Amino acid sequence: VAIIGGGEGATLREVLKHRTVEEAVVLEIDEELVDICREHMPEWSDCSDVEGSDADSCFDDSRARLVFTDAFRWFVDNASPGGSGERFDVIIMDSLAPGRSALVESGLYDETSFVESLHSSLTPDGVFAVQNGRAKAASDPPERVGRDVHTSRMMDALGAAGFGSLHTYDEGHSKFHMPWEYLVAMKDAASRRQWHRTEGEVEVELHRRVHGTRSSGGRERALRY
């Protein structure tokens, strides 16, 4: 799993709760941010209660690899001839919400080399996930003409890069002031069968793959959301 941004450690924490994760690479441009969060917000990267973790801080987990770099440039170089050619099953963009950040907008909409490098850096059935900002309201205009035009532009760019199946969903448990929207792009359209699982199938799969908590003796799952 690759995480773009996420210097506070919360996304890394949730990723490491999955038994199937062999390595999580955090690509964060701001090393000072990580140091500040480790000191003043340690609960965000707390893996001490997660069975399967070998460190109190998720940043120190043996499965975690921190790379302080410009993630956009890293992916372009990774996918270029002569690059490292690393491949990931999942890439999560945990940076500022599109539409709120010129850097994210430029990278996802205008820099085709970056979007194409995301596609190239995924395994055949890989998945890319990114936050879209606040969820749309019933009174909002259509995305292509409203203030949320960034969503349609992003989906166009990902589709043009070769992603076979695109989905958006709203999440109300992230503790923001309103529901938040996320976009999931699947490299292979056949992977959409995972998206259409029933609620029961999802719950069974999560119970199978998510570590338990040490405080419950493994009886309770560690996943927060």
Side-chain angles (χ1 to χ4, degrees):
V1 177
I3 302 171
I4 300 174
E8 81 292 326
T11 299
L12 174 63
R13 179 195 66 213
E14 298 304 305
V15 166
L16 292 177
K17 292 176 180 180
H18 292 259
R19 293 188 177 95
T20 51
V21 173
E22 298 177 356
E23 183 181 41
V25 181
V26 179
L27 300 161
E28 171 59 59
I29 197 170
D30 192 344
E31 184 173 2
E32 184 179 8
L33 171 64
V34 174
D35 292 338
I36 291 173
C37 291
R38 286 179 70 128
E39 180 178 357
H40 299 287
M41 299 164 54
E43 66 277 7
W44 285 49
S45 57
D46 184 7
C47 276
S48 62
D49 196 36
V50 180
E51 290 186 335
S53 178
D54 54 11
D56 289 340
S57 171
C58 302
F59 289 121
D60 298 325
D61 190 292
S62 59
R63 295 168 294 168
R65 172 159 59 100
L66 274 66
V67 181
F68 297 108
T69 187
D70 179 344
F72 286 21
R73 177 50 51 193
W74 188 92
F75 273 102
V76 172
D77 291 344
N78 178 66
S80 298
S84 58
E86 289 193 57
R87 295 292 181 268
F88 301 94
D89 297 307
V90 179
I91 298 174
I92 301 171
M93 178 171 279
D94 181 19
S95 53
L96 297 176
R100 315 296 195 272
S101 166
L103 176 61
V104 174
E105 280 195 353
S106 175
L108 282 178
Y109 314 146
D110 304 325
E111 296 293 336
T112 57
S113 60
F114 172 64
V115 180
E116 291 168 355
S117 73
L118 291 176
H119 186 271
S120 299
S121 297
L122 285 168
T123 54
D125 58 351
V127 174
F128 169 66
V130 60
Q131 60 169 313
N132 282 348
R134 70 161 183 81
K136 280 68 174 179
S139 57
D140 287 342
E143 290 175 351
R144 290 191 178 277
V145 297
R147 62 182 176 181
D148 294 312
V149 66
H150 57 271
T151 299
S152 61
R153 291 182 64 196
M154 184 191 309
M155 296 182 77
D156 288 344
L158 292 169
F163 284 90
S165 189
L166 307 174
H167 307 266
T168 60
Y169 72 96
D170 297 345
E171 170 58 61
H173 299 86
S174 299
K175 297 185 178 180
F176 296 125
H177 64 288
M178 62 178 62
W180 222 241
E181 183 183 87
Y182 299 86
L183 186 152
V184 177
M186 301 176 182
K187 187 171 183 177
D188 185 351
S191 298
R192 75 179 68 184
R193 67 182 182 276
Q194 304 289 344
W195 185 265
H196 295 296
R197 283 184 169 189
T198 66
E199 181 179 352
E201 289 174 325
V202 171
E203 289 296 329
V204 169
E205 179 65 15
L206 287 176
H207 186 81
R208 181 189 68 81
R209 66 182 289 163
V210 175
H211 284 293
T213 59
R214 291 192 173 100
S215 57
S216 70
R219 294 186 299 275
E220 297 179 1
R221 298 300 94 188
L223 200 63
R224 289 196 176 195
Y225 307 121

